[in-house]
Structures are given as C-alpha cells and as structure tokens.
Amino acid sequence: AVIPAQAGVQEDLNAAISKLNADQQSALLFLLTGASSSAVSADDAILDVIKAFGVAAAAGDAEAMMESVSDDFEHWEFGDKEGLQGAYEALIDEGMFEGIELVLDDAEIEIDGDEATIYPVDVEGAFGTATIEYVMVKEGDTWKIIEMDVSGV
C-alpha cells in the first residue's frame, strides 16, 4: 500500500522519468542498478555506460559520471580517476557542460575479450564540439571507461 506522502513523491518521480527519452531512461536504469543484465548484449551494455556518463554530465554531476569510470583509469592529461573527476568538476563549475549532448549515430564498437573501444562519440555543448574515443574494460559484469582520447575541442 502507498501512503499519501509517498504517493506524491511517486507521482513527481513518474513525471520526471516520463520527460526522459528512451536512451536517457535506459541510462537512468543502468545508473540505478549499477550493472548490466547478462541478457543485454555487450554492445548495448557498453552503449548504456556511455549514455549514463552523458546523462550524468548533462546533469552536472561529476560524481555520478565517475560511476562509469574504472578505478584503473589513466589519461595523459587528467592522470587518474580522481584527476578526471576534478577536471570535470571545474568544467561543470565553468558551465561548459550546459546543454551537453552525446551523438552516437556514427559510433562503432569493437570488442576484444574484456576490452572494447567505442568511436566516434561526438559531444556537443557550451564548450563547442569534440569527438571522443573511449576505451572500455569489463570489470566483473560491468563495462567501465579506462581510457579516453578527446579531439576537436
């Protein structure tokens, strides 16, 4: 049974979810469950991680973005996962992620065992446009971002 106070919260939640497109709803489900189902293809699981990363970026939530990133993340400019989060927090504070949108229309996924690449992922936002290549690693049942190469900024 739903008590009246919960009913209002549930209605608000349902209204908010109904405003999301199918990709955003899928990414939200992924964020809430924290893992992909074994019934989901590897390609779909990888896309879900990238979409969740993009939804978190659009929400201005660097901490939620890090849910998609491996603890073993390394990057020539950002360093490790903590450095990446700090860089994204600064960009969010500067408003650079306002209106951010990932465009996956041309993205191709190549999987080799427990490693995969997805490229090109085009990103549009207040900063302009960029193209990203993500390198993913499978950790248990979940794909995580372990490297990225950003160009065109």
Side-chain angles (χ1 to χ4, degrees):
V2 176
I3 59 175
Q6 289 177 325
V9 171
Q10 186 66 41
E11 289 171 9
D12 291 344
L13 182 59
N14 288 341
I17 291 171
S18 71
K19 293 178 183 176
L20 301 175
N21 66 37
D23 287 342
Q24 291 169 326
Q25 288 178 5
S26 175
L28 177 62
L29 178 61
F30 176 82
L31 281 173
L32 293 174
T33 61
S36 59
S37 165
S38 59
V40 174
S41 75
D43 283 6
D44 287 342
I46 290 166
L47 284 171
D48 285 347
V49 171
I50 299 302
K51 290 174 187 175
F53 191 73
V55 167
D61 190 341
E63 188 173 330
M65 292 173 74
M66 294 304 106
E67 293 295 319
S68 299
V69 178
S70 171
D71 289 339
D72 297 326
F73 177 87
E74 292 183 13
H75 189 269
W76 65 272
E77 182 178 9
F78 305 124
D80 59 10
K81 183 177 179 177
E82 185 177 308
L84 178 67
Q85 182 172 346
Y88 282 165
E89 286 170 349
L91 290 170
I92 289 167
D93 289 346
E94 294 172 12
M96 290 295 140
F97 283 5
E98 289 182 20
I100 198 167
E101 183 177 331
L102 299 184
V103 180
L104 298 165
D105 297 343
D106 297 326
E108 294 183 15
I109 298 171
E110 293 184 21
I111 300 172
D112 184 12
D114 287 343
E115 191 167 293
T117 57
I118 178 168
Y119 177 82
V121 176
D122 295 316
V123 184
E124 302 169 355
F127 60 87
T129 61
T131 301
I132 303 174
E133 177 180 32
Y134 291 100
V135 178
M136 314 286 292
V137 64
K138 192 168 186 185
E139 297 179 351
D141 292 333
T142 305
W143 288 92
K144 299 275 189 168
I145 299 166
I146 195 161
E147 295 175 25
M148 66 175 66
D149 183 34
V150 181
S151 60
V153 177

